[in-house]
Amino acid sequence: SLRYANQVDRLIAHLRQNLIIDFQGDLSIEQVREMLAGDDSREARAVLARVVAEQSVENMLLVLADCLLEPVQQAVTDGVLREQLVTYAQS
């Protein structure tokens, strides 16, 4: 098992390992269609075609959240988490 310098390090490791990404607010196919209206790029057409084919934006949101998790976990370093814990404790 991992060795921690102190229990705060253990808490920080737990928080990083259990970080999740979610998107708040509702997003409908119609909203995606409106946001991409007038964008004739291959990228916009591909996203809209996929969302329409799946008849839902749920899969898109789940895949994006899953793909973004690793870069977010890397960006949220132990130092960043420690800083936020201290801020929380002092507020």
Side-chain angles (χ1 to χ4, degrees):
S1 92
L2 293 172
R3 300 276 310 206
Y4 300 100
N6 60 47
Q7 297 309 95
V8 173
D9 290 339
R10 186 175 177 194
L11 173 59
I12 288 169
H14 174 83
L15 293 171
R16 284 185 75 203
Q17 290 166 6
N18 291 284
L19 184 68
I20 61 167
I21 295 179
D22 195 4
F23 295 96
Q24 65 182 357
D26 292 331
L27 184 62
S28 67
I29 295 173
E30 192 53 43
Q31 287 172 305
V32 171
R33 193 184 306 273
E34 288 173 19
M35 289 179 207
L36 297 178
D39 186 340
D40 199 34
S41 68
R42 193 168 96 186
E43 167 182 66
R45 289 193 316 264
V47 169
L48 185 57
R50 177 79 182 258
V51 166
V52 168
E54 292 178 344
Q55 300 180 358
S56 169
V57 297
E58 291 304 311
N59 191 51
M60 178 186 75
L61 296 176
L62 289 171
V63 169
L64 285 173
D66 189 47
C67 292
L68 290 170
L69 183 57
E70 187 175 331
V72 168
Q73 283 176 321
Q74 291 173 1
V76 179
T77 63
D78 289 359
V80 168
L81 265 172
R82 183 180 308 280
E83 198 175 292
Q84 294 307 313
L85 281 171
V86 168
T87 299
Y88 163 75
Q90 294 174 347
S91 66

